[in-house]
Amino acid sequence: MYTEVTNILNETQKVIKGKDDVVKKVLMSIFARGHILLDDVPGVGKTTLAVTLGKTLGLSYNRIQFTPDVLPSDIVGFSIYNKEKEAFVYMPGTVNDTNLLLADEINRTSSRTQAALLEAMEEKQVTVDGVVHPLKDPFIVIATQNQVGGAGTQMLPHAQLDRFLIKLAIGYPDRDSQMDIIRERQTRDPYAGVSQAISYDTLITLQDKCLAMTMKDEIVSYITDLAVSTREDPLTELGVSPRGAIAVSHMAKACAFVDGRDYVTAEDVREVFKDVCAHRILLSQKARAEGMTAGDVLDETLKKVKMPFSV
């Protein structure tokens, strides 16, 4: 593992206890320049993880708490007439001038407001009144949504879900980690001991190195076979899209990169496959009737598709 990666993980673990695998995968997604959806019950540390990573990576950070009355203009900005200049002036929104956007409880706002994030997430720009406004590089969205409390929630459409590189659940901490959290949160700010682990320039360099890694054709073929298998599976109505297959390749590179290797293995693909693809497939009526989850179907896909053992 690279020294920079170790430093980031060490700083993050000062606040996030007992969730090393989740922290690692979120960091992998950031190295791969992808957006993250944290989907879990309230109070398990979704927002805490996002804030901690912002401090650790030294990124300009912004947060928006989604509610039903948040408007698309709050996200992308708007134009207002300036009498002195006798012209319309652009007023930036939440996505402007920030590297890391925490979209808190994204499922508690309207479909129009959710859709306002689409161009920003995919194109790294927003268009207001026909004028394009580029966003900062990198621009990463960490969105959270709760699995409970359905009143006032709006499910994310498939097109919006597809913009997230990975979808993760944090889960409850184990007993020892829970005790550590209680002890440390009695009198002090949990972020007080967190330091910036790397510079902005270093992060950009790490991202460039990550995505520039060479991937052998055997691995590309394996990813392709996995994606095609989900499309032909009678348990799915909608399989992994070409965008999803590309996402698997990016996360597999990030997995190898974080582990300190300069090559991707089939095990890297297997490690990230479900996190990248579970929110991208739609189950068939047959699968739903049998009580299967997206994870169950993807487990079967991993069993069916032959691994390239020579890689």
Side-chain angles (χ1 to χ4, degrees), residues 204-274:
I204 297 298
T205 299
L206 293 176
Q207 288 179 321
D208 291 342
K209 285 183 177 180
C210 174
L211 292 180
M213 292 178 64
T214 301
M215 180 178 287
K216 290 186 177 180
D217 281 347
E218 292 90 339
I219 299 299
V220 175
S221 177
Y222 183 48
I223 294 172
T224 301
D225 290 344
L226 288 170
V228 170
S229 179
T230 65
R231 299 168 196 169
E232 298 174 346
D233 196 326
L235 296 174
T236 65
E237 291 182 2
L238 188 66
V240 176
S241 67
R243 181 192 283 125
I246 294 170
V248 172
S249 70
H250 287 178
M251 272 296 284
K253 284 185 175 183
C255 185
F257 182 78
V258 167
D259 285 343
R261 284 179 280 106
D262 59 1
Y263 60 93
V264 180
T265 68
E267 289 297 336
D268 295 322
V269 176
R270 293 177 66 87
E271 183 172 342
V272 304
F273 182 65
K274 289 170 62 177

Side-chain angles (χ1 to χ4, degrees), residues 261-300:
R261 284 179 280 106
D262 59 1
Y263 60 93
V264 180
T265 68
E267 289 297 336
D268 295 322
V269 176
R270 293 177 66 87
E271 183 172 342
V272 304
F273 182 65
K274 289 170 62 177
D275 296 320
V276 174
C277 298
H279 62 289
R280 300 175 190 271
I281 67 172
L282 293 179
L283 301 185
S284 67
Q285 185 176 355
K286 178 177 183 290
R288 294 195 298 271
E290 294 178 2
M292 299 184 72
T293 66
D296 295 333
V297 173
L298 294 176
D299 280 332
E300 293 301 316

